[in-house]
Amino acid sequence: MKHPQSKIEIFSDSADDNLSDTTLPDVLQSNQQENNNNVVPVCVNTEQQMDDVGRLMESDSEVELGPIRNPSTLGHLDDTLPYDVPFHSSIVDITAHTDSNGEVPVAPLVTLHIRRGNTMADMMTAFSDPHVMNSEILIDRVLPDGTIEKGTGSGVLKDTLTEFWGEFGERCTVGASYKVPYVRHDYNRFKWEAVARIIIKGWTEVQYFPIFIAPAFMEQVIFDSEQPSLANIFLQYISEAERSVISQAMVDFESVNDDLLDVLGQYDCKTMVTANNLTEIIEELAHKELIQKPAFIADCWKPIVGPTLATSMNKESLMDLYSKLTQLY
């Protein structure tokens, strides 16, 4: 049987804030029909891919997607194979290089092209590949007009991390002074793991640490343990107005009884609160908000963040880090 020929139809994805679940272009093959007008749509994710396929189309406007033919399969019917579009990322350039003597191979040099205004999406795309952790990283900041921003060295990385964590804090966390990441339907394990790699790269390269993330959550991630009391951190997690009501209730319960019930109701308190059990209830709500709710994210971060940070700090030095950096900012 002769396999029908198929044409390639190209379409391009629009850029958005979300990281694709796969870094390779998807190939979607239409159902085979009896005529010779089959179409195989190919999803092209980058401009470079568009150029590659464009040159292919110029050289042969109609590409046969036929069976494999070699001596071992000759005479047998083979499945039709879609054309595999060469993948070139517009965000990551990898260059293999050696030491100054040109003999000993060293870590590949990875240049990240991070666009201003799209830092979070570009960084998560770049760090979705675990191999980037074993590479030397350079960052080019791409301006809105497409030109490369002047600047080199650690300052560019720090600037990029600052912009990334600013966007991350706004889009992926909840809380006031201290925040915790929250589960999003459009963020799977691979995206949260990309964020974990950014934490590690920032710390190991330039000692950058996102101190706005609640220390109780980070202790759970790094050391897989919980602080004995979470009440003080919880008071920094809730709003200033809520903090004022709870603090006043601990001093004079009756003076803020109604307001206190409203505040605790915001966190879905299920227990009748009294002056005697208020502290216990605050601890329970703190555990739910800081540990239980973001547990999936902690599980994604632990295998990546824990082994590195646990060897460079302990629980006391982690809290000292928060204390020192909080005073600076």
Side-chain angles (χ1 to χ4, degrees), residues 13 50 71 123-124 138 155 162 176 178 189 194 204 218 223 231 268 274 281 288 302 310:
D13 283 348
M50 294 288 289
M123 286 285 283
M124 290 182 67
L138 295 178
T162 299
Y178 281 141
R189 174 176 292 274
T204 57
M218 290 307 300
F223 305 107
D268 202 25
T274 67
I281 290 175
K288 184 191 73 170
K302 284 178 185 178

Side-chain angles (χ1 to χ4, degrees), residues 49-67:
Q49 291 174 351
M50 294 288 289
D51 293 338
D52 290 339
V53 178
R55 288 192 293 271
L56 172 71
M57 298 297 288
E58 290 175 1
S59 62
D60 190 349
S61 61
E62 189 166 272
V63 180
E64 181 177 359
L65 304 179

Side-chain angles (χ1 to χ4, degrees), residues 15-212:
D16 54 32
D17 291 337
N18 297 329
L19 173 66
S20 171
D21 288 339
T22 175
T23 58
L24 294 179
D26 299 323
V27 179
L28 307 174
Q29 183 172 357
S30 62
N31 294 329
Q32 183 171 343
Q33 302 174 1
E34 292 298 325
N35 56 42
N36 292 334
N37 209 15
N38 295 336
V39 174
V40 179
V42 178
C43 178
V44 179
N45 292 316
T46 68
E47 293 182 1
Q48 181 63 47
Q49 291 174 351
M50 294 288 289
D51 293 338
D52 290 339
V53 178
R55 288 192 293 271
L56 172 71
M57 298 297 288
E58 290 175 1
S59 62
D60 190 349
S61 61
E62 189 166 272
V63 180
E64 181 177 359
L65 304 179
I68 300 174
R69 293 299 184 191
N70 58 51
S72 63
T73 60
L74 194 60
H76 297 275
L77 294 178
D78 302 295
D79 292 335
T80 298
L81 301 177
Y83 171 67
D84 186 12
V85 182
F87 175 72
H88 300 279
S89 172
S90 62
I91 296 175
V92 181
D93 287 338
I94 302 177
T95 305
H97 63 296
T98 59
D99 65 3
S100 58
N101 296 324
E103 297 178 355
V104 181
V106 297
L109 177 64
V110 175
T111 301
L112 308 183
H113 305 286
I114 308 299
R115 293 168 290 173
R116 286 284 185 185
N118 205 49
T119 298
M120 182 175 168
D122 287 352
M123 286 285 283
M124 290 182 67
T125 297
F127 282 88
S128 63
D129 182 2
H131 295 95
V132 75
M133 303 303 291
N134 301 320
S135 306
E136 179 184 348
I137 289 181
L138 295 178
I139 293 181
D140 284 341
R141 300 310 309 267
V142 182
L143 298 174
D145 62 1
T147 60
I148 303 299
E149 186 176 84
K150 294 182 179 179
T152 59
S154 62
V156 178
L157 177 57
K158 290 179 181 179
D159 176 70
T160 304
L161 290 169
T162 299
E163 189 170 333
F164 170 82
W165 287 114
E167 290 187 53
F168 181 85
E170 293 177 359
R171 300 181 185 184
C172 300
T173 67
V174 292
S177 298
Y178 281 141
K179 305 175 185 292
V180 294
Y182 65 88
V183 175
R184 290 177 45 153
H185 71 89
D186 56 342
Y187 272 48
N188 56 22
R189 174 176 292 274
F190 303 109
K191 294 181 181 180
W192 290 118
E193 288 176 348
V195 177
R197 294 186 190 103
I198 295 172
I199 293 176
I200 292 301
K201 206 65 176 178
W203 175 253
T204 57
E205 294 289 334
V206 291
Q207 286 70 59
Y208 192 104
F209 194 85
I211 60 169
F212 66 88

Side-chain angles (χ1 to χ4, degrees), residues 213-227:
I213 299 179
F217 176 77
M218 290 307 300
E219 180 176 319
Q220 173 75 3
V221 169
I222 299 170
F223 305 107
D224 197 18
S225 63
E226 299 176 10
Q227 296 185 6

